[in-house]
Amino acid sequence: MENLREDLELIEVVYENENKKATLTFLDEEKGQVLEVAFNKQIYDNDKNEYIDDEEKAKKVDEWCKEYFETTFDKLSDCVGVKKDVYCYDRFNSLWESVVVEKFDKEDEGKIFETTIKSIEDDGKGVHIYFEHEGKLYESKMMYADYIEVKKQWFTNPQKKERQYKKFKDKFGVEVKDAEKIVGKNIMVEVKVAFKKFTYAEIKKPKWA
């Protein structure tokens, strides 16, 4: 596997953002490179243009620490010297193989292309329709969860969920629970920009729906 670097030594752990983010640096002597892996308990808020606390993400990071280093987040520095496999991607590195969902650039606004539905996932926060373009994976999202600042968590909005489910059926002709039936079908996608800064992919209503 081209993006897999095996048996790299952890040489440094640096804490940032009030100890809510740990950057783990691994040494690849063979290629003469250092690779950084981020364990960040916060998530990025596009509206605020900053990282914010998130209880769910923090819990995941604690689980990663236990699974990959058998330790706690605050004691990752004690693991310097440990060797791990590292997966390298264009924008980040990871200790596990990841499915990378790309984002369109603002310069892509107005681009229209045909592709096929690769998969559809309802993750409890929204419905994600995945497709490929020029060899890379992208998604169109129909979100129905709201982020509650005081709780630092995502919560399902039942009314919004019902509206999104209806929009899904109106557009694709099937219920979300039957989404598997339309995987592999052709779709037309247009790249749009909201509020002059957020790119998103809009799937046109297919003729087959």
Side-chain angles (χ1 to χ4, degrees), residues 9-14 23-27 36 76-77 80-81:
E9 182 180 352
L10 176 63
I11 60 172
E12 183 181 48
V13 177
V14 176
T23 300
L24 291 69
T25 303
F26 292 85
L27 176 64
E36 293 183 341
L76 284 172
S77 296
V80 168

Side-chain angles (χ1 to χ4, degrees), residues 82-98:
V82 168
K83 292 187 176 182
K84 293 288 179 182
D85 293 345
V86 178
Y87 291 88
C88 303
Y89 299 95
D90 290 342
R91 299 178 183 177
F92 68 96
N93 304 304
S94 175
L95 296 183
W96 53 88
E97 190 171 10
S98 301

Side-chain angles (χ1 to χ4, degrees), residues 81-196:
V82 168
K83 292 187 176 182
K84 293 288 179 182
D85 293 345
V86 178
Y87 291 88
C88 303
Y89 299 95
D90 290 342
R91 299 178 183 177
F92 68 96
N93 304 304
S94 175
L95 296 183
W96 53 88
E97 190 171 10
S98 301
V99 176
V100 181
V101 180
E102 302 289 344
K103 292 184 178 180
F104 289 104
D105 296 322
K106 292 180 185 177
E107 293 73 23
D108 294 320
E109 182 179 9
K111 181 183 292 185
I112 300 175
F113 56 89
E114 184 176 3
T115 183
T116 59
I117 297 174
K118 186 174 179 64
S119 64
I120 299 174
E121 178 188 6
D122 184 351
D123 65 357
K125 296 177 183 176
V127 182
H128 304 257
I129 302 106
Y130 296 99
F131 57 88
E132 290 185 347
H133 178 60
E134 296 181 346
K136 294 183 178 181
L137 185 67
Y138 294 88
E139 67 176 326
S140 179
K141 297 185 286 189
M142 303 177 74
M143 305 302 293
Y144 54 72
D146 294 324
Y147 184 78
I148 306 303
E149 180 69 35
V150 293
K151 291 290 186 179
K152 311 297 183 186
Q153 284 182 269
W154 289 90
F155 290 89
T156 298
N157 182 322
Q159 288 75 32
K160 189 180 291 185
K161 181 177 182 178
E162 185 176 342
R163 290 196 299 270
Q164 294 289 44
Y165 273 30
K166 184 179 184 302
K167 283 175 63 178
F168 184 93
K169 184 178 180 181
D170 290 345
K171 177 173 287 190
F172 298 109
V174 298
E175 303 280 359
V176 172
K177 64 182 178 64
D178 297 320
E180 190 67 26
K181 293 180 180 179
I182 62 173
V183 171
K185 287 188 174 291
N186 291 338
I187 52 173
M188 293 294 295
V189 179
E190 180 177 357
V191 181
K192 294 190 173 184
V193 177
F195 308 111
K196 297 183 179 181

